[in-house]
Amino acid sequence: MQRVVTIVGPTGVGKSALALKLAGALNAEIISADSRQIYRLLDIGTAKATKTEQELVRHHLIDIVAPDKDFSLAQYQQLAYQAIDDINARHKLPLLVGGSGLYVWAVLEGWQIPKVAPDAELRRELEARAASGEAAQLYAELQQLDSEAAARIDPRNVRRVIRALEIGHQPQKNAPPSKLAPSFEQLVIGLTCPRDALYSRIDKRVDIMLQQGLPDEVSGLLGQGYQADLPAMSGIGYRQMVSFLNGKVSQEEAVQQIKFESHRLARQQYNWFSLKNATIHWFDVTEDYYERAFVAVSEFIK
C-alpha cells in the first residue's frame, strides 16, 4: 500500500524545517504544495528550499514553469500523483508539504477537476472589463455565481477570477462536485502556534528575505521582461516590491505591507486547515514537539 505524509499549516510556522528533518531521518522526499514555488526564478520571496537543502533532500514540484506560463490545479494534481507513485516505487516516503490548501486537498481528497476548455470570446470580454476598472465587480459576480470558488481566490488575482468565471458559466459546473479517494494511505500533520508568536515568526522571515536580496530578485525579474501583472508576480512580497521599485511606496512601507498581508494569509490558511479538523494531527511549534511528530510518522509507516 502506498503512503503519503502531509505537513500543513500557516505560512512561516516551520513546515519546511520539519519536513527536512523528517526526510533526513526517514528516507523521504519532499513534494511541494506551494502555488508560488512552482515558478522558476522566484526563490527568496517564496521561501523556496535552498540549493544546499535540495542537495540534502530531493524536492519535487518546484521550479517547474517559467513565471509567465499558465499552470492549473489539474496540472498540479497530475504531477503530484506522478511524484507520489515514483517515490513510493523507490521505497521512499513522500512528504507533501505546503500551505496551499487548494493543492493539498485536491491531492488528498482526489478532486475530480472539471476539464473546461477556455472560452476565448468570454475571456476577452472579461479581460476588457477588468482593464476598464471592473475587476472588483468581476469578483463580486464570481461570489454570486460560485461562492466556494470565490472563497479560494484572492480578489486581486484577476486572471484566476476570470478563469473561475469561465468555468462557472459552463453547464457542467452545475453538477455536484465529485471526489475519488486516491489509492494511498495518508497521515496529515498540522503545525500551529499562538497568533502573536506566529506573526513574530512571519515578521522575522520577511526581514531575512530582505537581507537575502528580495528587492534585487524582483528587480531582476522585471529586468528580464516579466510583467508585474503576471500571476507569478501577484504573490505576497513580489507585488509590494514592484510598488517600491516603481517609486509608489518606500521600502519600509513595502516591508510593512508584506508583513501585514502575510498575517492575513496565515489567518486565511486556517480556513483550509481548521484546528477542528479531526483528520489533522496538530502540533504546537512553541512546544517541544518534534519527537512526538517523529513517533506519529514512524508508527504510520510501519
Side-chain angles (χ1 to χ4, degrees):
M1 173 65 73
Q2 292 191 339
R3 293 179 173 85
V4 174
V5 172
T6 304
I7 303 175
V8 301
T11 185
V13 78
K15 299 182 295 293
S16 296
L18 174 61
L20 286 166
K21 196 169 181 179
L22 288 175
L26 296 170
N27 192 30
E29 295 182 5
I30 294 172
I31 303 171
S32 171
D34 187 297
S35 62
R36 300 296 170 183
Q37 292 185 0
I38 60 170
Y39 296 111
R40 292 190 285 271
L41 305 178
L42 277 70
D43 301 328
I44 297 171
T46 63
K48 195 177 292 176
T50 65
K51 293 187 181 300
T52 299
E53 290 168 339
Q54 293 182 47
E55 289 172 357
L56 290 172
V57 177
R58 185 176 175 183
H59 285 64
H60 301 258
L61 303 195
I62 61 174
D63 294 332
I64 56 177
V65 292
D68 58 351
K69 300 300 181 183
D70 290 332
F71 188 79
S72 69
L73 177 62
Q75 287 175 286
Y76 175 81
Q77 185 190 50
Q78 180 181 9
L79 291 173
Y81 285 148
Q82 290 174 357
I84 289 169
D85 289 343
D86 171 59
I87 296 168
N88 271 292
R90 290 184 285 108
H91 306 290
K92 293 191 173 186
L93 176 67
L95 294 177
L96 182 66
V97 183
S100 295
L102 196 66
Y103 281 13
V104 169
W105 295 121
V107 171
L108 296 187
E109 296 182 339
W111 292 4
Q112 301 301 286
I113 301 166
K115 293 177 173 60
V116 178
D119 184 331
E121 184 177 349
L122 175 60
R123 179 174 294 190
R124 284 193 295 270
E125 175 189 333
L126 297 175
E127 288 175 343
R129 289 179 59 194
S132 67
E134 294 187 31
Q137 185 176 337
L138 291 178
Y139 185 75
E141 291 174 12
L142 178 60
Q143 288 178 308
Q144 292 293 321
L145 181 66
D146 188 342
S147 59
E148 290 186 6
R152 296 194 295 261
I153 297 175
D154 187 328
R156 290 164 297 194
N157 193 333
V158 178
R159 289 196 180 195
R160 281 195 64 194
V161 171
I162 289 174
R163 178 57 179 158
L165 283 168
E166 281 184 59
I167 295 172
H169 282 289
Q170 296 290 328
Q172 58 263 50
K173 183 64 183 72
N174 296 324
S178 61
K179 301 175 183 178
L180 181 63
S183 59
F184 51 73
E185 294 182 358
Q186 51 187 272
L187 171 70
V188 185
I189 288 177
L191 300 184
T192 187
C193 67
R195 181 168 294 185
D196 288 348
L198 178 60
Y199 289 173
S200 178
R201 294 170 72 101
I202 289 171
D203 292 350
K204 182 177 180 181
R205 187 169 76 163
V206 173
D207 290 337
I208 292 173
M209 288 178 178
L210 266 291
Q211 295 168 10
Q212 292 174 333
L214 179 59
D216 291 336
E217 177 172 280
V218 178
S219 177
L221 286 160
L222 296 173
Q224 293 182 58
Y226 294 112
Q227 300 298 313
D229 62 351
L230 289 170
M233 298 291 281
S234 69
I236 297 173
Y238 291 90
R239 61 175 180 266
Q240 291 84 5
M241 278 296 113
V242 168
S243 293
F244 159 61
L245 293 169
N246 288 339
K248 295 181 179 179
V249 298
S250 68
Q251 179 167 311
E252 182 180 357
E253 289 172 325
V255 171
Q256 286 304 119
Q257 289 173 8
I258 294 172
K259 292 178 178 179
F260 176 80
E261 289 297 314
S262 297
H263 298 172
R264 186 178 64 83
L265 172 62
R267 294 193 298 271
Q268 289 180 335
Q269 286 170 311
Y270 279 111
N271 294 327
W272 284 103
F273 310 117
S274 171
L275 294 171
K276 297 179 181 179
N277 187 334
T279 66
I280 302 176
H281 300 259
W282 287 101
F283 296 91
D284 188 329
V285 298
T286 62
E287 301 172 355
D288 188 10
Y289 78 97
Y290 174 74
E291 289 300 327
R292 290 183 291 120
F294 177 81
V295 169
V297 176
S298 299
E299 290 180 349
F300 168 71
I301 62 177
K302 285 179 181 178

